[in-house]
Amino acid sequence: MGEEVISRNFIEQEIDKDLKEGRYNEVVTRFPPEPNGYLHIGHAKSILLNYGLAKEYNGKFNFRFDDTNPTKEKTEFVQSIIDDIKWLGADFGDTVRFASDYFDDMYEAAVKLIKKGKAFVCDLTADEIKEYRGDFKNPGKNSPYRDRSIEENLDLFERMKNGEFPDGSKVLRAKIDMASPNINMRDPVIYRIARMTHHNTGDKWCIYPMYDFAHPIEDAIEGITHSICTLEFEDHRPLYEWVVNELEYPNPPRQIEFAKLYLTNVVTGKRYIKKLVEDGIVDGWDDPRLVSIAALRRRGYTPESIKKFMELSGISKAQSSSDYAMLEYCIREDLKMKADRMMAVLDPIKLVIDNYPEGQIEYFDIDNNQENEAAGTRKVAFSRELYIDREDFMEEPPKKYFRLFPGNEVRLKGAYFVKCVDYKKDETGKVVEIHCTYDPETRSGSGFEGRKVKGTIHWVEASTAVDAEVRLYENIVDEEKGKLNEDGTLNYNPNSLTVLTDCKLEAAFKEAKPGDSFQFLRHGFFCVDTKDTTDDKLVFNRIVSLKSSYKPS
Ligand code: ATP
Ligand code: MG
């Protein structure tokens, strides 16, 4: 990569200005997910942005569940969301906050607005409210209930709370401006009646606050300074400001919007993922082909690689898509030095060294990572019978094929030169065994300079080999071919998963634990699957191949 340019993104510039002008003297940010699904890579962007800003300015970072809407919430997601945030390394001081803890404050805030003549109880039906609202071209009309007295509004709102009215029969609305060019300011609904059991407050409430009213209050109560959200809330900002100003919070928070992260060649929509799960195409929301945080973790992505990706993709006000290949680049860069490079044969074929003593085993010291001396070396067994990858042998090689073929000599990585003298096929014509001779003088480390060979291939000693299943992945959708079919269904890549069940790995893999990552020499980076690996079965996910289609600028 070229020289790193340290430029401040537009949010940092705003914060710098706020601190300089004394609007705030600290920075407090938050991440407020709804507990209604798994977190995905887009959320990771928001988490790392908010946490990163708090850290950069020596401020505070709050983690709060936005659980004001009981219909959509499912508490089953609470724990997975907490785990994901911790895994990303965003330290929220172990305090898990819930918006629902502030329901009393929100109720009081609504009463305060009524007392100021800034809110009223409205009896229009939902359809009527919509009709009265007008549209982009036409101003709205005042509700006939808009001029109710403060006393009447206080009385009705309290009775709404006490359960005297049926669901949907009344709402509390902010009294702002039905002619505002911003439709969000046309007397928005701030409380509704809905008899729903809330996971936290049970049946205490039969009225619930609307998001645009609740969110600024949550922020203000927690002393958030910069409430960072995505662009779709830009038009709601005037309402956010109206709420915190009318409620007279000292030093109220301000809202700043940025563009959501979109990624090519992936599926993030819950509707599509649900269908993929139902159709048995993916094995749940943590399938390694998906980009939920749990899926990325299972695939073998590291928090560092995701952070790096967010740095490269930047913070912007303009909507755009980031390239999935850039994410792959980031994990390759991260694992390059960290992961041991070991030998694994994915499609094995037996190689017999005819002139090597039967029953003898010798050991080679092989570097764990040629680029990182600190990674040390390991002992690798070698004997008369090995496995090599099928693609490293050809009966009739094309030009420039430097691997094994009859009569050709190659280097076995870290061991000896071997020359192919014969091969055997089964009835179907499939090559099942290759015979070679080795030259003892070419032993690795002996300083042999007698002759050179053009090809080096990896291998695994047969009697000590560890069996494994290896799963290779391709993008689940191909952006260029179109993510959707004409009928709106997902055009998924039928080759997105290849399962190899007969892989042979060098003996050192016996120590591999779920979640460990390695480079399989010449094949890419692989991670031990945390879900399907058992005591007797090792399963690996290919995180990424070694070849890159992304070039950092
Ligand atoms: P989704 O519908 O994809 O689950 P959401 O916006 O409904 O997304 P929330 O739980 O409401 O999810 O969002 C929590 C926070 O994460 C919000 O501040 C939201 O703006 C942010 N966020 C969600 N998606 C993205 C994204 N793609 N890029 C950046 N931030 C995002
Ligand atoms: Mg949501």
Side-chain angles (χ1 to χ4, degrees), residues 30-34 36 38-40 42-43 45-46 228-230 232-233 258-262 268 270:
R30 86 287 174 264
F31 175 68
E34 269 184 82
N36 68 347
Y38 49 84
L39 296 184
H40 54 63
H43 296 112
K45 177 154 199 156
S46 177
I228 296 165
C229 62
T230 41
E232 71 273 23
F233 290 101
F258 72 103
K260 275 194 173 182
L261 171 77
Y262 289 102
T268 48
K270 289 186 191 109

Side-chain angles (χ1 to χ4, degrees), residues 169-189:
S169 61
K170 288 184 177 9
V171 290
L172 184 71
R173 298 175 68 177
K175 195 190 276 188
I176 310 180
D177 178 8
M178 288 308 288
S180 171
N182 183 335
I183 292 175
N184 295 307
M185 299 299 272
R186 295 184 188 169
D187 293 2
V189 173

Side-chain angles (χ1 to χ4, degrees), residues 342 363 381 461-468 505-514 516 518 528 533-535 538 540:
M342 311 222 285
Y363 291 88
E461 198 280 321
S463 70
T464 53
V466 177
D467 291 317
L505 278 45
E506 62 170 272
F509 279 106
K510 274 203 193 82
E511 310 298 325
K513 298 276 173 303
D516 287 353
F518 302 89
V528 183
T533 295
T534 61
D535 284 346
L538 262 179
F540 283 85

Side-chain angles (χ1 to χ4, degrees), residues 15-35:
I15 296 177
D16 289 346
K17 198 164 133 244
D18 288 341
L19 294 175
K20 200 166 144 227
E21 291 173 355
R23 177 167 179 176
Y24 304 110
N25 48 28
E26 62 171 344
V27 172
V28 186
T29 60
R30 86 287 174 264
F31 175 68
E34 269 184 82

